[in-house]
Amino acid sequence: MQELIDQLPKLAKDKQNENKKYFAKLKKKPPKNLDVIMQELHTNEFQKTDCLDCANCCKTTGPLFTDVDVDRIAKHLKIKSYQFEKKYLKKDEDGDLVLQETPCAFLAADNYCLIYDVRPKACREYPHTNRKKIYQISNVTMQNMAICPAAYAIVEKMKERIPLAHKSNKRGY
């Protein structure tokens, strides 16, 4: 697994132009069943992929924390929200609350999350490959492909399952 994780940034970069074009075409004419297909691809991939074998997202990136996330996690930790923010979070250049550092302070040595039941919404939804209208978050998806082996595999399978043909195909896929 680690070998694949180490290769992901290069694999994703090599596919970046192809994926930008693909998502641009997908956005222009998404198939009616896109959300159903993406849910199926996501479900199938995560039946094979165990996040505990990887945890690369927790090791290399940090989620955005909403005020609701902060309050929920602080309550779980039995501290005040402002104490949680001061100890673990900072505001990024966009003014969003993010982790002060990576890997995540709540990632245990065995890749388990110490706050799993109250983890941020962004963590619960990661890598966002089952989100409706995935073409609307194509930049995030392409970033996640460099971090998450499952996201990379899902997008590659999406391109196989929904090939976007050249102009000669009137249907567009």
Side-chain angles (χ1 to χ4, degrees), residues 41-145:
L41 292 173
H42 178 91
T43 299
N44 289 345
E45 186 59 35
F46 279 100
Q47 286 175 346
K48 300 183 290 191
T49 301
D50 184 354
C51 293
L52 294 174
D53 291 336
C54 179
N56 197 41
C57 53
C58 304
K59 294 172 185 173
T60 62
T61 62
L64 297 179
F65 286 74
T66 66
D67 291 340
V68 172
D69 292 331
V70 170
D71 293 343
R72 183 180 61 253
I73 297 166
K75 182 178 179 181
H76 174 78
L77 297 174
K78 297 183 169 96
I79 60 176
K80 301 283 185 198
S81 295
Y82 76 89
Q83 292 172 309
F84 176 78
E85 280 187 46
K86 185 175 180 181
K87 184 170 184 177
Y88 297 105
L89 305 178
K90 66 179 181 184
K91 287 201 178 196
D92 68 7
E93 59 278 354
D94 297 324
D96 294 319
L97 288 173
V98 297
L99 290 172
Q100 287 180 14
E101 57 188 45
T102 55
C104 178
F106 302 104
L107 179 66
D110 59 2
N111 288 342
Y112 277 86
C113 176
L114 299 174
I115 58 167
Y116 187 80
D117 291 338
V118 295
R119 68 195 184 281
K121 181 178 187 251
C123 295
R124 285 191 308 257
E125 295 178 354
Y126 192 85
H128 313 287
T129 46
N130 61 344
R131 180 173 159 174
K132 291 181 190 245
K133 299 180 183 177
I134 193 166
Y135 55 82
Q136 293 179 337
I137 58 162
S138 59
N139 288 341
V140 170
T141 302
M142 288 189 291
Q143 289 172 358
N144 291 344
M145 289 176 68

Side-chain angles (χ1 to χ4, degrees), residues 29-43:
K29 187 142 171 107
K32 288 184 177 23
N33 60 346
L34 176 64
D35 295 341
V36 173
I37 291 170
M38 292 312 299
Q39 182 63 55
E40 182 182 318
L41 292 173
H42 178 91
T43 299

